[in-house]
Amino acid sequence: MLVSATEMLKKAHEGHYAVAQFNINNLEWTKSVLKACEEMQSPVILGVSEGAAKYMCGFKTVAAMVKEIHDKMGITVPVALHLDHGTYEGAKACIEAGFTSVMFDGSHYSIEENIEKSKEIIAYAHSKGISVECEVGGIGGEEDGVTSMGEVADPEECRKINELGVDFLAAGIGNIHGKYPANWAGLNFEALAKIQAVTNGRPLVLHGGSGIPKDQILKAISLGVSKINVNTELQLEFAAATRKYIEEGKDLQGKGYDPRKLLAPGAEAIVNKCKLMVEEFGSAHKA
Ligand code: 13P
């Protein structure tokens, strides 16, 4: 059975490690992430963006697919199915579709509107035993060649969202989705420490977990980060392994063009990368 992310993140916060949110993009991704985490005996959060859900034919399809794969593979570690960067409508739809956790990202609204909408989603989700992540500040990224460092969250705004009873909180601390530019300033630990100080030990979430140096990951965990989101890194691993297979001409040997063979190296690369990250985040053997 899929579970909410509340319990696993509380334990992670108390135990000073982080649970990975690995974003899934299709069936292969789902199988690979679950395989890796079962082998590592690590709890895991499967993240699904609204775009990825659309690609996979909607929230209900995703929920049904993940539940069936989870059961069929006999997964025993705690697994949460979580909406990533959800809109207000998307979060409600996921709560109804069988997700066990949702993120409502109201960071682009005014703080008043973010509070208002977060409050509603939290009440609705909690009435069904579903965990909620909210966001304050912005996660940077690169768009059309313009690099944004994101907006560092205001601790006072974090305190206000925390008081709503959110289960875990994403706060911008200079983190970026996608590849980090060479001139990236690094995580803002001063801001992170201030945010944790006013959020009473609430588990914090680090988005943009791909490509952050290990020392910064460990420091973030020591300052209250209990959930780290990873998407790009697995995509790069998958693409590189698939490229190698094709460049070596393996798709042209025998029945190497069979999709089950063609996608196998990429799927295996995801398994290996997930295992390494789970080890680094400290959640191995914490199931
Ligand atoms: P990356 O794609 O940079 O790993 O970020 C993932 C993420 O934060 C999803 O919310």
Side-chain angles (χ1 to χ4, degrees), residues 169-188:
L169 181 69
I173 52 164
N175 39 337
I176 294 170
H177 286 130
K179 289 184 187 175
Y180 282 86
N183 63 350
W184 178 51
L187 297 174
N188 185 334

Side-chain angles (χ1 to χ4, degrees), residues 6-199:
T6 306
E7 202 51 40
M8 64 172 89
L9 292 180
K10 250 189 210 162
K11 278 194 196 163
H13 198 271
E14 284 162 15
H16 306 290
Y17 59 91
V19 175
Q21 170 188 310
F22 292 121
N23 281 40
I24 55 170
N25 292 285
N26 57 22
L27 180 138
E28 280 73 21
W29 240 263
T30 311
K31 282 168 64 178
S32 293
V33 172
L34 289 176
K35 181 171 190 262
C37 292
E38 182 68 22
E39 282 179 26
M40 295 303 281
Q41 283 298 293
S42 167
V44 67
I45 296 166
L46 302 179
V48 181
S49 67
E50 293 198 2
K54 196 172 165 196
Y55 174 77
M56 291 185 270
C57 294
F59 299 132
K60 284 189 185 165
T61 308
V62 173
M65 177 186 79
V66 169
K67 279 180 192 165
E68 286 298 325
I69 292 176
H70 170 276
D71 292 355
K72 189 78 187 169
M73 287 177 75
I75 301 297
T76 60
V77 298
V79 178
L81 175 60
H82 179 78
L83 172 66
D84 189 27
H85 290 287
T87 57
Y88 177 79
E89 294 76 21
K92 283 194 165 172
C94 281
I95 292 167
E96 279 148 24
F99 278 52
T100 56
S101 186
V102 293
M103 173 183 191
F104 165 62
D105 181 358
S107 60
H108 50 286
Y109 292 118
S110 67
I111 184 63
E112 291 77 22
E113 196 167 355
N114 190 358
I115 289 173
E116 209 43 54
K117 289 191 160 71
S118 294
K119 200 171 169 178
E120 258 186 66
I121 297 292
I122 291 167
Y124 186 39
H126 284 182
S127 75
K128 295 184 183 293
I130 292 170
S131 50
V132 181
E133 171 179 347
C134 292
E135 180 170 321
V136 178
I139 315 297
E142 198 193 277
E143 208 170 68
D144 291 334
V146 179
T147 304
S148 144
M149 293 311 285
E151 184 200 338
V152 174
D154 172 4
E156 183 53 21
E157 293 186 357
C158 292
R159 189 188 61 75
K160 286 181 183 163
I161 296 276
N162 184 56
E163 276 179 358
L164 303 175
V166 68
D167 299 285
F168 31 102
L169 181 69
I173 52 164
N175 39 337
I176 294 170
H177 286 130
K179 289 184 187 175
Y180 282 86
N183 63 350
W184 178 51
L187 297 174
N188 185 334
F189 293 114
E190 206 181 310
L192 180 57
K194 277 189 195 152
I195 292 161
Q196 181 72 113
V198 295
T199 50

Side-chain angles (χ1 to χ4, degrees), residues 21 23 84-85 176-178 207-210 229-233:
Q21 170 188 310
N23 281 40
D84 189 27
H85 290 287
I176 294 170
H177 286 130
H207 282 248
S210 298
N229 293 5
V230 177
N231 189 7
T232 302
E233 197 136 337

